[in-house]
Amino acid sequence: FSTFDLSADNAGADFRITQGSDTITIDGVSGTVTLTSVSLTDRNLTFELTAASAPISIPDGAVAVGTGTVSLSANGGSIVDATTGTDGSVGITAGNLTLSTSGTASIGSSGALPDLDVTLSRTLTATSGSGGTFIGSTGSLTVGAVSAGTGAVALTSTTSIVDDASNATAIAGASVSLTATAAIGATGDEMDTTTVNLTLVVGTSFFVANSSDLTDLSITSTQLSDVNTYSLSATNLTFTVTDAGTNYALTNVSDTTGLNFTFSGDEGI
């Protein structure tokens, strides 16, 4: 490692750190483990926390591995941003990022602690417990398989949210919220989702394919450019909405099983 610093609260007598290559395994901890500083040059980091309930806390600027891969796993605890109050300061900079929690644990937070802020040059993969997955990206966010079970998924990007070009991977949760200042998905490479409750906040165009029957759909256009394309498919849904640059035309939005639908933007409808 170039640098590796961590702190652990309530470390028991059997507190152990095992390093094999670039894999760090920690057990015997009942409190928070904070990754204070991890710096690698284009290498891979696998960090496994085996304690039953200990969370992994990520301060601003804590983990930086260039284009390498970061894998963080907490067995029972959450993976959280250590910064309270405001979002936006990057905690993890990497190529690929894989995050895993279980049970009722979360990745990031929608409550007192902010979402987990990252900058990635490759792909995000995440599996959380029912506490949900809440991740914010500085720069474009390419998404592979993200699953929160019965929890919520909320992903934000300062530019675009991009699909990983595989129909075998999807963003899945009881609710899915995607927020991008530019596009979500792309022509011929739709963002794959599996949810009954979908929220899209988009600056330009969106291309989304949802495999479930929606009960709730909320769309907000922040209109970064004048003419955009809105493409959405879902089970039992007919969706024909266009943006002519001066007004939105909601030609046909219908669902044979019923739908709670909201749409807002900065043009006339």
Short mmCIF file of all heavy atoms in Angstrom, two decimals, residues 43-81:
data_model
loop_
_atom_site.label_atom_id
_atom_site.label_comp_id
_atom_site.label_asym_id
_atom_site.label_seq_id
_atom_site.Cartn_x
_atom_site.Cartn_y
_atom_site.Cartn_z
N ARG A 43 -4.24 0.13 -8.21
CA ARG A 43 -4.27 -1.23 -7.68
C ARG A 43 -5.63 -1.49 -7.08
O ARG A 43 -6.47 -0.59 -6.95
CB ARG A 43 -3.16 -1.43 -6.63
CG ARG A 43 -1.75 -1.37 -7.21
CD ARG A 43 -0.71 -1.42 -6.11
NE ARG A 43 -0.77 -2.69 -5.37
CZ ARG A 43 -0.09 -2.90 -4.23
NH1 ARG A 43 0.66 -1.92 -3.71
NH2 ARG A 43 -0.16 -4.06 -3.64
N ASN A 44 -5.87 -2.75 -6.70
CA ASN A 44 -7.18 -3.17 -6.21
C ASN A 44 -7.17 -3.32 -4.69
O ASN A 44 -6.20 -3.78 -4.11
CB ASN A 44 -7.59 -4.50 -6.85
CG ASN A 44 -7.62 -4.43 -8.36
OD1 ASN A 44 -7.94 -3.39 -8.93
ND2 ASN A 44 -7.28 -5.52 -9.02
N LEU A 45 -8.28 -2.93 -4.06
CA LEU A 45 -8.44 -3.05 -2.62
C LEU A 45 -9.70 -3.83 -2.32
O LEU A 45 -10.79 -3.48 -2.79
CB LEU A 45 -8.53 -1.67 -1.96
CG LEU A 45 -8.96 -1.67 -0.48
CD1 LEU A 45 -7.86 -2.27 0.39
CD2 LEU A 45 -9.32 -0.28 -0.02
N THR A 46 -9.57 -4.91 -1.54
CA THR A 46 -10.73 -5.65 -1.03
C THR A 46 -10.70 -5.54 0.49
O THR A 46 -9.74 -5.95 1.13
CB THR A 46 -10.69 -7.12 -1.45
OG1 THR A 46 -10.69 -7.21 -2.87
CG2 THR A 46 -11.90 -7.88 -0.91
N PHE A 47 -11.77 -5.00 1.06
CA PHE A 47 -11.85 -4.75 2.50
C PHE A 47 -13.08 -5.48 3.03
O PHE A 47 -14.21 -5.17 2.63
CB PHE A 47 -11.95 -3.25 2.77
CG PHE A 47 -11.88 -2.88 4.23
CD1 PHE A 47 -10.67 -2.60 4.84
CD2 PHE A 47 -13.04 -2.81 4.99
CE1 PHE A 47 -10.61 -2.25 6.18
CE2 PHE A 47 -12.99 -2.46 6.33
CZ PHE A 47 -11.77 -2.18 6.92
N GLU A 48 -12.86 -6.46 3.91
CA GLU A 48 -13.94 -7.28 4.44
C GLU A 48 -14.04 -7.09 5.94
O GLU A 48 -13.07 -7.32 6.67
CB GLU A 48 -13.69 -8.75 4.11
CG GLU A 48 -13.57 -9.04 2.61
CD GLU A 48 -13.12 -10.45 2.32
OE1 GLU A 48 -12.68 -11.14 3.27
OE2 GLU A 48 -13.19 -10.86 1.15
N LEU A 49 -15.21 -6.68 6.40
CA LEU A 49 -15.45 -6.50 7.84
C LEU A 49 -16.40 -7.61 8.27
O LEU A 49 -17.57 -7.62 7.91
CB LEU A 49 -16.07 -5.13 8.10
CG LEU A 49 -16.29 -4.75 9.57
CD1 LEU A 49 -14.98 -4.78 10.35
CD2 LEU A 49 -16.93 -3.38 9.66
N THR A 50 -15.88 -8.56 9.04
CA THR A 50 -16.65 -9.76 9.37
C THR A 50 -17.41 -9.65 10.69
O THR A 50 -18.16 -10.55 11.04
CB THR A 50 -15.73 -10.99 9.44
OG1 THR A 50 -14.76 -10.80 10.48
CG2 THR A 50 -15.02 -11.20 8.12
N ALA A 51 -17.22 -8.56 11.44
CA ALA A 51 -17.96 -8.40 12.70
C ALA A 51 -19.46 -8.33 12.41
O ALA A 51 -19.89 -7.84 11.37
CB ALA A 51 -17.50 -7.14 13.42
N ALA A 52 -20.26 -8.81 13.35
CA ALA A 52 -21.69 -9.00 13.09
C ALA A 52 -22.45 -7.70 12.88
O ALA A 52 -23.44 -7.67 12.16
CB ALA A 52 -22.31 -9.79 14.24
N SER A 53 -22.02 -6.60 13.51
CA SER A 53 -22.83 -5.39 13.43
C SER A 53 -22.02 -4.13 13.19
O SER A 53 -22.57 -3.04 13.19
CB SER A 53 -23.64 -5.21 14.72
OG SER A 53 -22.77 -5.09 15.83
N ALA A 54 -20.72 -4.22 13.00
CA ALA A 54 -19.89 -3.04 12.88
C ALA A 54 -20.04 -2.39 11.50
O ALA A 54 -19.95 -3.07 10.48
CB ALA A 54 -18.42 -3.39 13.13
N PRO A 55 -20.24 -1.07 11.45
CA PRO A 55 -20.29 -0.38 10.17
C PRO A 55 -18.91 0.03 9.68
O PRO A 55 -17.96 0.12 10.46
CB PRO A 55 -21.14 0.86 10.48
CG PRO A 55 -20.85 1.14 11.92
CD PRO A 55 -20.61 -0.20 12.58
N ILE A 56 -18.81 0.30 8.39
CA ILE A 56 -17.62 0.89 7.79
C ILE A 56 -17.93 2.35 7.50
O ILE A 56 -18.90 2.67 6.81
CB ILE A 56 -17.22 0.17 6.49
CG1 ILE A 56 -16.90 -1.30 6.76
CG2 ILE A 56 -16.02 0.85 5.84
CD1 ILE A 56 -16.63 -2.10 5.51
N SER A 57 -17.10 3.25 8.01
CA SER A 57 -17.30 4.68 7.84
C SER A 57 -16.24 5.24 6.89
O SER A 57 -15.05 4.96 7.04
CB SER A 57 -17.22 5.38 9.20
OG SER A 57 -17.40 6.77 9.07
N ILE A 58 -16.68 6.05 5.91
CA ILE A 58 -15.80 6.59 4.89
C ILE A 58 -15.75 8.11 5.00
O ILE A 58 -16.70 8.80 4.59
CB ILE A 58 -16.27 6.20 3.47
CG1 ILE A 58 -16.58 4.70 3.38
CG2 ILE A 58 -15.23 6.62 2.43
CD1 ILE A 58 -15.39 3.80 3.50
N PRO A 59 -14.66 8.69 5.54
CA PRO A 59 -14.54 10.15 5.55
C PRO A 59 -14.29 10.70 4.14
O PRO A 59 -13.99 9.94 3.21
CB PRO A 59 -13.32 10.39 6.45
CG PRO A 59 -13.10 9.10 7.17
CD PRO A 59 -13.58 8.03 6.25
N ASP A 60 -14.38 12.00 3.99
CA ASP A 60 -14.09 12.64 2.71
C ASP A 60 -12.66 12.35 2.28
O ASP A 60 -11.73 12.48 3.07
CB ASP A 60 -14.29 14.15 2.82
CG ASP A 60 -15.73 14.53 3.09
OD1 ASP A 60 -16.62 13.68 2.87
OD2 ASP A 60 -15.97 15.68 3.53
N GLY A 61 -12.48 11.95 1.02
CA GLY A 61 -11.15 11.72 0.48
C GLY A 61 -10.42 10.53 1.04
O GLY A 61 -9.21 10.41 0.88
N ALA A 62 -11.14 9.59 1.67
CA ALA A 62 -10.47 8.53 2.43
C ALA A 62 -9.87 7.45 1.54
O ALA A 62 -8.78 6.94 1.83
CB ALA A 62 -11.45 7.89 3.41
N VAL A 63 -10.56 7.06 0.47
CA VAL A 63 -10.12 5.92 -0.33
C VAL A 63 -9.87 6.37 -1.76
O VAL A 63 -10.78 6.87 -2.43
CB VAL A 63 -11.17 4.79 -0.32
CG1 VAL A 63 -10.70 3.61 -1.17
CG2 VAL A 63 -11.47 4.34 1.11
N ALA A 64 -8.65 6.21 -2.22
CA ALA A 64 -8.29 6.61 -3.59
C ALA A 64 -7.36 5.56 -4.18
O ALA A 64 -6.26 5.35 -3.66
CB ALA A 64 -7.62 7.98 -3.60
N VAL A 65 -7.81 4.88 -5.26
CA VAL A 65 -7.00 3.82 -5.86
C VAL A 65 -6.82 4.04 -7.36
O VAL A 65 -6.53 3.10 -8.10
CB VAL A 65 -7.61 2.43 -5.59
CG1 VAL A 65 -7.67 2.14 -4.11
CG2 VAL A 65 -8.97 2.28 -6.25
N GLY A 66 -7.01 5.25 -7.84
CA GLY A 66 -6.86 5.51 -9.27
C GLY A 66 -7.90 4.75 -10.07
O GLY A 66 -9.10 4.84 -9.81
N THR A 67 -7.42 3.96 -11.05
CA THR A 67 -8.34 3.16 -11.87
C THR A 67 -8.51 1.75 -11.31
O THR A 67 -9.11 0.89 -11.97
CB THR A 67 -7.83 3.07 -13.31
OG1 THR A 67 -6.54 2.46 -13.32
CG2 THR A 67 -7.75 4.44 -13.95
N GLY A 68 -8.00 1.48 -10.13
CA GLY A 68 -8.13 0.17 -9.51
C GLY A 68 -9.55 -0.10 -9.05
O GLY A 68 -10.43 0.75 -9.12
N THR A 69 -9.77 -1.30 -8.54
CA THR A 69 -11.08 -1.74 -8.06
C THR A 69 -11.13 -1.71 -6.54
O THR A 69 -10.20 -2.16 -5.88
CB THR A 69 -11.39 -3.16 -8.55
OG1 THR A 69 -11.51 -3.14 -9.98
CG2 THR A 69 -12.67 -3.70 -7.95
N VAL A 70 -12.20 -1.17 -5.99
CA VAL A 70 -12.43 -1.19 -4.54
C VAL A 70 -13.63 -2.08 -4.26
O VAL A 70 -14.69 -1.93 -4.88
CB VAL A 70 -12.70 0.22 -3.99
CG1 VAL A 70 -13.16 0.15 -2.53
CG2 VAL A 70 -11.45 1.08 -4.10
N SER A 71 -13.46 -3.03 -3.33
CA SER A 71 -14.55 -3.89 -2.88
C SER A 71 -14.67 -3.77 -1.37
O SER A 71 -13.72 -4.07 -0.64
CB SER A 71 -14.30 -5.35 -3.26
OG SER A 71 -14.18 -5.50 -4.67
N LEU A 72 -15.81 -3.30 -0.89
CA LEU A 72 -16.05 -3.14 0.54
C LEU A 72 -17.23 -4.01 0.94
O LEU A 72 -18.29 -3.98 0.31
CB LEU A 72 -16.36 -1.68 0.89
CG LEU A 72 -15.31 -0.63 0.51
CD1 LEU A 72 -15.79 0.75 0.94
CD2 LEU A 72 -13.97 -0.95 1.13
N SER A 73 -17.04 -4.79 2.01
CA SER A 73 -18.09 -5.70 2.47
C SER A 73 -18.23 -5.59 3.98
O SER A 73 -17.24 -5.71 4.71
CB SER A 73 -17.74 -7.14 2.07
OG SER A 73 -18.69 -8.05 2.59
N ALA A 74 -19.45 -5.35 4.46
CA ALA A 74 -19.73 -5.30 5.89
C ALA A 74 -20.78 -6.34 6.22
O ALA A 74 -21.89 -6.30 5.68
CB ALA A 74 -20.22 -3.91 6.29
N ASN A 75 -20.44 -7.28 7.07
CA ASN A 75 -21.33 -8.39 7.41
C ASN A 75 -22.23 -7.98 8.58
O ASN A 75 -21.92 -8.21 9.74
CB ASN A 75 -20.52 -9.63 7.78
CG ASN A 75 -21.39 -10.81 8.14
OD1 ASN A 75 -22.55 -10.85 7.76
ND2 ASN A 75 -20.85 -11.76 8.88
N GLY A 76 -23.35 -7.34 8.26
CA GLY A 76 -24.31 -6.94 9.28
C GLY A 76 -24.34 -5.46 9.54
O GLY A 76 -25.36 -4.92 9.95
N GLY A 77 -23.21 -4.75 9.33
CA GLY A 77 -23.17 -3.31 9.51
C GLY A 77 -23.36 -2.59 8.19
O GLY A 77 -23.33 -3.19 7.12
N SER A 78 -23.54 -1.28 8.27
CA SER A 78 -23.73 -0.47 7.08
C SER A 78 -22.40 0.07 6.58
O SER A 78 -21.38 0.03 7.28
CB SER A 78 -24.67 0.71 7.39
OG SER A 78 -25.96 0.25 7.73
N ILE A 79 -22.39 0.58 5.36
CA ILE A 79 -21.26 1.31 4.79
C ILE A 79 -21.73 2.75 4.63
O ILE A 79 -22.66 3.01 3.85
CB ILE A 79 -20.81 0.72 3.45
CG1 ILE A 79 -20.40 -0.74 3.62
CG2 ILE A 79 -19.65 1.52 2.86
CD1 ILE A 79 -20.09 -1.45 2.31
N VAL A 80 -21.14 3.68 5.38
CA VAL A 80 -21.70 5.02 5.47
C VAL A 80 -20.66 6.09 5.20
O VAL A 80 -19.46 5.89 5.35
CB VAL A 80 -22.33 5.26 6.87
CG1 VAL A 80 -23.48 4.29 7.11
CG2 VAL A 80 -21.28 5.15 7.96
N ASP A 81 -21.17 7.24 4.80
CA ASP A 81 -20.36 8.45 4.68
C ASP A 81 -20.18 9.03 6.08
O ASP A 81 -21.13 9.19 6.81
CB ASP A 81 -21.07 9.44 3.76
CG ASP A 81 -20.19 10.59 3.32
OD1 ASP A 81 -19.53 11.19 4.19
OD2 ASP A 81 -20.16 10.89 2.12
#
